[in-house]
């Protein structure tokens, strides 16, 4: 393979058998289960990087089912998203993500810088309850429950939240272990088609774990819960801030 062939074809590793195809990446019937809760301001300040600012002392704990996505297949994901401000604009910072599929782990980390790790999240309906759980190996790290489809939610409220900018800290090391890329990435969800949205009573438990540290942002009070389905395109990102720039 010639040098020019490498330049022309390289977009992911391995070079001749990448873990995921080029985008765009469209998701059909993407199902969200989100519990918003109050946490300790000091805990948030310790994990949100400047130049982002913590908007309020709350966290959104998300479970997401992706039954049909181009390039990434069928998988489930969970993690924590923090409301932030960037240059006065409200958005969301993705703090942690755990999922069960190699392609979106590789693609998410390489393309956007999503903080994805391999684990076993689930969303299930048990009788009249929506249940979300996260196991890291055999250990339960998160457990969420919500009354199933108790009350409808205004679609415009959900759509406006989905249109807000999202931020991630992308870190790619040099071969000597020092940072080669360290930048704040901004991305949006595009072409959103919201199909249904519900709320109900909810509870959330987060449990300490050495390598799955969702309990680092402790639950002080559950504020609200949201359950909805949508089709959408995960837009590619742009660099909002370069930590390596002189």
């Amino acid at each position: 393979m010639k040098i020019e062939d490498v330049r022309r074809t390289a977009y992911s590793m391995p070079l001749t058998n990448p873990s995921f195809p080029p985008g765009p990446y469209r998701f059909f019937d993407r199902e969200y289960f989100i519990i918003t809760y109050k946490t300790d301001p000091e805990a948030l300040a310790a994990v949100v990087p400047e130049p982002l600012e913590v908007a309020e002392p709350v966290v959104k704990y998300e479970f997401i089912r992706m039954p049909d996505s181009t390039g990434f297949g069928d998988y489930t994901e969970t993690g924590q998203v923090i409301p932030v401000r960037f240059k006065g604009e409200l958005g969301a910072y993705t703090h942690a993500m755990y999922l069960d599929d190699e392609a979106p782990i590789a693609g998410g980390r390489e393309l956007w810088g999503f903080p994805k790790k391999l684990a076993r999240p689930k969303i299930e309906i048990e009788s009249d309850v929506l249940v979300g759980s996260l196991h890291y190996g055999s250990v339960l790290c998160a457990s969420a429950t919500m009354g199933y489809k108790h009350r409808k939610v205004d679609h415009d409220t959900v759509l406006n939240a989905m249109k807000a900018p999202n931020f991630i800290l992308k870190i790619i090391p040099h071969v000597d272990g020092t940072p080669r890329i360290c930048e704040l990435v901004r991305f949006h969800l595009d072409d959103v088609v919201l199909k249904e949205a519900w709320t109900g009573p909810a509870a959330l438990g987060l449990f300490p774990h050495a390598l799955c540290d969702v309990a680092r942002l402790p639950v002080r009070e559950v504020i609200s819960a949201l359950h909805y389905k949508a089709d959408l395109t995960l837009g590619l990102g742009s660099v909002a801030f370069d930590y390596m720039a002189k």
Side-chain angles (χ1 to χ4, degrees):
M1 184 178 288
K2 303 296 185 182
I3 290 176
E4 191 53 41
D5 293 329
V6 175
R7 291 181 179 144
R8 178 176 52 83
T9 60
Y11 73 90
S12 178
M13 298 179 288
L15 172 64
T16 59
N17 187 24
S19 297
F20 56 94
Y25 305 98
R26 183 71 177 169
F27 295 80
F28 304 94
D29 294 322
R30 199 181 212 210
E31 181 179 12
Y32 289 82
F33 173 21
I34 303 172
I35 294 183
T36 301
Y37 68 92
K38 289 184 180 180
T39 192
D40 297 337
E42 298 81 6
L44 284 179
V47 299
V48 174
E50 292 183 337
L52 297 176
E53 300 174 347
V54 176
E56 51 186 331
V58 303
V59 178
K60 295 182 182 295
Y61 194 95
E62 301 185 347
F63 292 89
I64 311 174
R65 269 290 294 136
M66 273 75 67
D68 183 2
S69 61
T70 57
F72 295 144
D74 179 350
Y75 64 103
T76 304
E77 185 169 86
T78 189
Q80 290 160 306
V81 175
I82 301 168
V84 294
R85 289 190 185 88
F86 180 70
K87 297 182 178 179
E89 183 180 24
L90 288 173
Y93 171 66
T94 304
H95 166 62
M97 303 183 84
Y98 300 89
L99 58 155
D100 56 3
D101 184 2
E102 161 65 16
I105 290 177
R109 290 173 69 105
E110 292 178 20
L111 285 171
W112 297 270
F114 280 113
K116 299 191 177 213
K117 297 179 74 173
L118 180 65
R120 292 191 296 112
K122 287 185 179 180
I123 300 177
E124 301 173 303
I125 301 168
E126 296 183 0
S127 186
D128 58 347
V129 181
L130 182 66
V131 178
S133 62
L134 168 63
H135 283 80
Y136 195 98
S138 63
V139 179
L140 178 65
C141 298
S143 176
T145 53
M146 172 182 162
Y148 187 67
K149 295 188 176 182
H150 277 215
R151 299 182 301 278
K152 288 185 177 181
V153 175
D154 176 67
H155 279 209
D156 288 341
T157 302
V158 179
L159 285 169
N160 288 336
M162 295 181 74
K163 291 176 182 177
N166 297 271
F167 300 94
I168 323 165
L169 182 57
K170 181 175 183 177
I171 303 170
I172 302 292
H174 205 305
V175 292
D176 63 3
T178 59
R180 180 70 174 266
I181 295 172
C182 188
E183 56 197 23
L184 189 68
V185 172
R186 176 189 179 116
F187 74 95
H188 290 83
L189 303 178
D190 300 323
D191 302 321
V192 177
V193 179
L194 182 61
K195 298 182 175 181
E196 57 179 322
W198 304 86
T199 188
L204 175 65
L206 304 178
F207 311 105
H209 189 287
L211 300 182
C212 181
D213 65 345
V214 291
R216 183 173 183 172
L217 302 177
V219 180
R220 298 306 181 207
E221 179 187 351
V222 170
I223 299 172
S224 63
L226 190 59
H227 176 215
Y228 61 93
K229 291 184 180 180
D231 297 345
L232 58 89
T233 298
L234 179 57
L236 295 175
S238 60
V239 177
F241 184 84
D242 187 352
Y243 292 87
M244 306 297 291
K246 301 297 184 181

